[in-house]
């Protein structure tokens, strides 16, 4: 799953390492540190995903809740969601 924010993109996928572990990749060290700062952040050798953390589903859920709380709903207009 890819999540795009104003500051960066995140790729979230199941980790092959440990059962229940989720891998979260990002192109922004600042944002991955902000959301998962207590976890070990690995440098990853891909051009589009430079940083990676392995986390549990609960920590991922907490980060997603934080992202939703940061949405500026005043930026939404009705016309953006109407189909042409």
């Amino acid at each position: 799953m890819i999540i795009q924010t104003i500051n960066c993109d995140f790729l979230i996928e199941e980790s092959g390492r440990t059962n229940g572990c989720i891998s979260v990749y990002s192109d922004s060290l600042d944002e991955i540190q902000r959301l998962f700062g207590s976890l070990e952040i690995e440098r990853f050798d891909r051009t589009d995903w430079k940083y990676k953390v392995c986390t549990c589903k609960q920590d991922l859920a907490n980060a997603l809740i934080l992202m939703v709380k940061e949405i500026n709903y005043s930026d939404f207009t009705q016309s953006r969601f109407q189909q042409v």
Side-chain angles (χ1 to χ4, degrees), residues 3-10 24 26-41 51 53 55 59-60 62-71:
I3 296 177
Q4 296 177 315
T5 68
I6 291 173
N7 298 319
C8 73
D9 296 341
F10 294 96
V24 179
S26 178
D27 57 349
S28 169
L29 179 60
D30 291 339
E31 285 299 295
I32 207 164
Q33 281 179 329
R34 184 175 72 84
L35 295 171
F36 303 100
S38 62
L39 301 173
E40 179 184 345
I41 298 171
Y51 307 100
V53 295
T55 187
D59 287 343
L60 175 61
N62 292 339
L64 292 172
I65 289 168
L66 180 61
M67 286 181 199
V68 170
K69 285 182 176 182
E70 293 175 349
I71 294 172

Side-chain angles (χ1 to χ4, degrees), residues 4-83:
Q4 296 177 315
T5 68
I6 291 173
N7 298 319
C8 73
D9 296 341
F10 294 96
L11 170 65
I12 301 165
E13 63 184 17
E14 184 178 9
S15 173
R17 288 193 219 173
T18 308
N19 191 17
C21 182
I22 305 294
S23 293
V24 179
Y25 302 87
S26 178
D27 57 349
S28 169
L29 179 60
D30 291 339
E31 285 299 295
I32 207 164
Q33 281 179 329
R34 184 175 72 84
L35 295 171
F36 303 100
S38 62
L39 301 173
E40 179 184 345
I41 298 171
E42 301 174 40
R43 179 109 172 117
F44 199 68
D45 285 334
R46 283 177 56 179
T47 56
D48 48 352
W49 308 110
K50 297 177 184 173
Y51 307 100
K52 173 186 171 183
V53 295
C54 287
T55 187
C56 67
K57 291 179 182 179
Q58 183 61 53
D59 287 343
L60 175 61
N62 292 339
L64 292 172
I65 289 168
L66 180 61
M67 286 181 199
V68 170
K69 285 182 176 182
E70 293 175 349
I71 294 172
N72 182 355
Y73 292 97
S74 65
D75 289 342
F76 289 85
T77 61
Q78 199 64 317
S79 63
R80 289 181 65 188
F81 301 106
Q82 293 176 351
Q83 293 182 347

